Amino acid sequence: MTAIFAPTFPTKHNKMIKKLFLLLTTIVTVSLLVHQRSLLSRTVYSFDFSRPFICFHTIFDRKPKHTNVAFLKTHKTASSTMQNIMFRFAERHNLTVALPVESCGHRFCYPNSFNPDFVHPHTKPPNIVASHMRFNKKELQRLMPNDTIYITIMREPSSMFESSFSYNLNGCATFRRVPNHSLEAFLADPRRYYRPDEKDSMFARNFLVFDLGRDNDHPATDAAYVQDLLAEVEQTFSLVMITDYFDESLVVLRHLLSWDLEDILYFKLNMRKEDSKQTLTPVLASKIRAWNSLDTYLYDYFNASLWRQILALGPGCVAKEVRELRQAQESLMRSCFNGKVPLSPSGRVGNKKLHPWRPSGKVEIMGYDLPANLSSDQEHCLKLATPPIQYTQLLRQSQSIRSRQNH
Ligand SMILES: *[C@@H]1O[C@H](CO)[C@@H](O)[C@H](O)[C@H]1NC(C)=O
Ligand SMILES: *[C@@H]1O[C@H](CO)[C@@H](O)[C@H](O)[C@H]1NC(C)=O
Ligand SMILES: *[C@@H]1O[C@H](CO)[C@@H](O)[C@H](O)[C@H]1NC(C)=O
Ligand SMILES: *[C@@H]1O[C@H](CO)[C@@H](O)[C@H](O)[C@H]1NC(C)=O
Ligand SMILES: *[C@@H]1O[C@H](CO)[C@@H](O)[C@H](O)[C@H]1NC(C)=O
């Protein structure tokens, strides 16, 4: 019996036939996929993600890594984690990162509109930019190489706003006026507290639109304005990542820039402690979306775009790479932390270099409490855990030294 079912050992000849067959199957599948893309777009969300798809794109279309990238760092969108990915990529590839002059702080003199004068001369000409700014396309184009790929990130508006509300409770006058620091009270009548002309008022309404350099108080009933906004963002940014699908976004980014899996590994940064977060009821969430309707238009539009890009790559391919990313992440965590992830509230992070900035006594931000004396082969663990302000200082120093050596 066993003899009958035993596999025949492949000779050279039928090995070749197998290869040909595989190639043929591949071609047929690709053309089917392309042909059915419009059909699939209706059904993708019930698509069987576990079906193994080959990422054709990576096999046939391997390009050198793209190294000129402008990441518009938006607020409350996991953009600190993304900035850390960009900073580490730049360091590993000896690239130059545009950083703010000291007088601008760790942001490009936000909320002023971006201007190349805000950029530290030792960090010019740059390959990468990834710090907070109020976007100004024309001015940024004057700074960046002309083959720069522009990307940004957006988050579902109700959770994004809830995050801003708790983070900026003391920083933003609008929120300070709200009785009992109550999000419910604010949303019952936002205009009672909101003054558009006050400093930092943008954090109280459509702050995504503000970060994109547009008017966050423009009436959302102006359909032409909304159309123009969407068109401009779409034309400028090759990829709008979505926080709610962060790993999927990273996989799309990796393909766009021809980066390796290693280039998109991360530890989450600038997270609030669980009890500093408020769970939103559906009613509250829809009030937030109504108050921030420009941001909501943006989010809904670009969330749909992301899923179209995922579809174009092959949902199975993306799902497979997301699994690989998470596995690689876990083994990185194990190698850096020996099993137990040392996440602590900022106040209890002993290593000053890893101390996350926290906005007020009301909100607790989590940091990684790694010892300061890690061995040199664990240097990368420190970098993965370094908060934005410290990493900015670190890079400003190292790039200044390099710039002086070169001149
Ligand atoms: C970066 O620069 C260092 C020192 O000059 C060099 O040893 C290394 O090979 C460079 N790495 C890359 C990826 O160019
Ligand atoms: C980009 O800049 C390079 C060098 O500065 C130039 O040679 C090239 O023509 C430019 N390309 C475009 C598309 O403007
Ligand atoms: C603020 O809290 C107090 C005590 O819990 C309550 O009596 C009052 O109604 C609250 N005010 C508002 C506007 O929610
Ligand atoms: C994002 O878009 C997908 C596809 O249209 C949809 O299924 C999902 O619910 C959207 N996510 C959010 C948070 O709106
Ligand atoms: C780091 O410091 C701690 C205590 O200060 C010490 O126990 C540990 O051996 C040191 N580790 C290394 C790699 O030097």
Side-chain angles (χ1 to χ4, degrees), residues 45 156 244-245 299-300 303-304 307:
Y45 306 110
E156 197 287 311
D244 313 81
Y245 310 101
Y299 177 80
D300 288 345
N303 176 41
W307 284 97

Side-chain angles (χ1 to χ4, degrees), residues 69-73 79 82-84 86-87 97-99 108 128-133:
V69 184
F71 170 63
L72 173 65
K73 187 180 193 296
S79 63
M82 198 41 215
Q83 183 192 55
N84 184 277
M86 304 293 292
F87 281 0
V97 183
L99 296 171
F108 289 106
I128 302 268
V129 63
S131 298
H132 277 304
M133 67 170 70

